[in-house]
Amino acid sequence: MNQPSTTRVRRRLWFDLTALAVIGVLLLAALGAGIAVLYKEFYGPSAFVTRYIDLLATGHAADALRVPGVSIDRETLDDAGIDKTASEAMLRQAALAPLTDVEVISEKTSQRGVTSVTVEYVAGTHHGTSTFQVEQDGWAGITPNWRFTQSPLAAVALTVLGADHFAVNGFEVDRNQVSAAGADAAGDDPLPLLVFTPGLYSVTVDTAISTAPGVSFLADSPLTQTPVELQTEPTDKFVAVVQEQVEEFLGECTTQQVLQPTACPFGLEVQNRIVAPPVWSIAAQPSVTVEPSGAHWMIPPTDAVAHIEVDIQSLYDGSVEHVSEDVPFRIDGSITILPDGSASIRVGNPDGG
């Protein structure tokens, strides 16, 4: 009578043990999956890269520079083809632009243990993609540490023509302060500047002399140097000052009571003798324009008219003739901006006079 009951108990016990084993396996699988998710989200290489980009997105430039593998030595810059004199002026909060919609899209680990993490993001209105190289750098207890095997810094070789003062993302920059040449920096020499990757950088010019609506570049490739050139245009105020200086120069020329004023773009040749010193005036001032000329500026050729009043005596018969004559001429010029911000204007004659 007890045999069937014992068999049922054994079957139920077997069933319960099997169920518990299945539940245990499921719990272990869920736990493993949870740990994997936590690892990827908080402790893995992708999390390391995301935290670095979050620092840039929130303007914590100093903290981003302290992330392992970000800081770089000059020898590494040289090996990467980046100018060793590159300025670190852009590696600050004031020069950073917002980053949003950051998302890791792939993570691949090589046999050497280096993990490539590819990230998508939006910088301003630009969609970008960057890939970073990461490797494990020891442990912090039971969690791994990471570092960049390739610094995420990059560089721009920035040439700003016609201005020594400009702004990067609103941060004011003086060429002489960021150039390795200092006050001897030439206006058409590229300025190597280190920047964070990823990052959107907008260069604008708004000075009393020149202006430019700006040019933007996206730094999306670590350890690369990108050439960027910005040509400025003269301001109306600058052109007015040049016009005034040219008129003043021509006015000084008219004070020379000779037929060929020295270092001046106009004059009159006669074959006879003058009775009294001639009197010059400017009948029509040149309408000055200013155009870019490399790192400096130029005055393109423009027409003007001088006027002379002079009495001329004939060498043949001694008669005296009063000459009142307009003398057309042309001017051009070069303009150099001096280190103190003033302009040196050299007026010439394109016709060689």
Side-chain angles (χ1 to χ4, degrees), residues 116-128:
S116 298
V117 179
T118 300
V119 181
E120 286 184 341
Y121 48 84
V122 176
T125 58
H126 300 266
H127 291 264

Side-chain angles (χ1 to χ4, degrees), residues 69-84:
V70 174
S71 295
I72 193 169
D73 57 45
R74 298 297 169 179
E75 183 178 351
T76 303
L77 288 177
D78 191 40
D79 291 342
I82 297 175
D83 195 311
K84 292 191 296 184

Side-chain angles (χ1 to χ4, degrees), residues 19 45 152 165 189 233 258 291 329 351-352:
H165 298 270
D189 285 345
E233 296 295 331
V258 293
E291 295 180 356
F329 65 98
D351 301 318

Side-chain angles (χ1 to χ4, degrees), residues 1-330:
M1 298 290 294
N2 294 330
Q3 184 66 29
S5 176
T6 302
T7 301
R8 284 195 299 271
V9 170
R10 287 177 178 175
R11 288 178 178 173
R12 182 175 298 173
L13 178 59
W14 178 86
F15 176 80
D16 291 343
L17 291 174
T18 301
L20 288 173
V22 171
I23 293 172
V25 169
L26 293 175
L27 287 174
L28 287 174
L31 180 61
I35 292 175
V37 170
L38 287 174
Y39 172 82
K40 184 175 181 180
E41 186 172 351
F42 297 105
Y43 305 112
S46 293
F48 171 77
V49 171
T50 300
R51 282 195 295 272
Y52 159 76
I53 297 179
D54 285 344
L55 290 173
L56 299 182
T58 54
H60 292 83
D63 292 331
L65 278 174
R66 287 193 288 267
V67 172
V70 174
S71 295
I72 193 169
D73 57 45
R74 298 297 169 179
E75 183 178 351
T76 303
L77 288 177
D78 191 40
D79 291 342
I82 297 175
D83 195 311
K84 292 191 296 184
T85 66
S87 169
E88 298 180 356
M90 298 299 102
L91 303 179
R92 63 181 70 205
Q93 178 180 356
L96 293 178
L99 292 168
T100 59
D101 299 334
V102 179
E103 181 181 358
V104 175
I105 59 173
S106 72
E107 178 184 304
K108 297 179 181 178
T109 302
S110 70
Q111 293 181 346
R112 297 183 296 110
V114 176
T115 301
S116 298
V117 179
T118 300
V119 181
E120 286 184 341
Y121 48 84
V122 176
T125 58
H126 300 266
H127 291 264
T129 303
S130 299
T131 299
F132 303 93
Q133 307 297 321
V134 176
E135 67 179 356
Q136 189 174 346
D137 186 27
W139 296 84
I142 61 172
T143 59
N145 289 327
W146 301 93
R147 66 178 293 105
F148 289 107
T149 60
Q150 179 190 58
S151 172
L153 298 183
V156 56
L158 177 63
T159 303
V160 180
L161 299 175
D164 286 332
H165 298 270
F166 53 93
V168 179
N169 289 343
F171 174 65
E172 298 291 334
V173 180
D174 183 327
R175 178 194 307 277
N176 298 333
Q177 293 178 352
V178 298
S179 171
D184 296 328
D188 54 357
D189 285 345
L191 291 170
L193 304 170
L194 291 177
V195 293
F196 285 108
T197 299
L200 180 67
Y201 296 87
S202 178
V203 185
T204 56
V205 175
D206 184 13
T207 70
I209 290 176
S210 57
T211 183
V215 59
S216 296
F217 62 94
L218 180 64
D220 58 1
S221 298
L223 278 189
T224 58
Q225 181 166 287
T226 304
V228 175
E229 182 175 302
L230 177 61
Q231 175 64 69
T232 63
E233 296 295 331
T235 62
D236 292 341
K237 181 179 179 180
F238 180 40
V239 175
V241 169
V242 174
Q243 176 77 46
E244 181 182 343
Q245 294 296 314
V246 169
E247 291 182 7
E248 183 178 325
F249 167 77
L250 295 176
E252 291 177 355
C253 284
T254 64
T255 64
Q256 299 184 41
Q257 293 184 309
V258 293
L259 291 174
Q260 298 286 342
T262 303
C264 293
F266 57 82
L268 182 68
E269 293 184 1
V270 298
Q271 302 299 321
N272 296 303
R273 179 186 299 119
I274 62 173
V275 176
V279 177
W280 287 99
S281 61
I282 301 299
Q285 293 284 358
S287 180
V288 171
T289 57
V290 177
E291 295 180 356
S293 177
H296 302 291
W297 305 92
M298 63 172 287
I299 303 171
T302 183
D303 296 328
V305 179
H307 184 82
I308 189 172
E309 299 279 347
V310 63
D311 291 329
I312 300 177
Q313 186 179 38
S314 170
L315 295 176
Y316 176 71
D317 59 11
S319 61
V320 176
E321 177 187 6
H322 180 74
V323 174
S324 178
E325 182 178 333
D326 285 343
V327 181
F329 65 98
R330 294 201 302 163

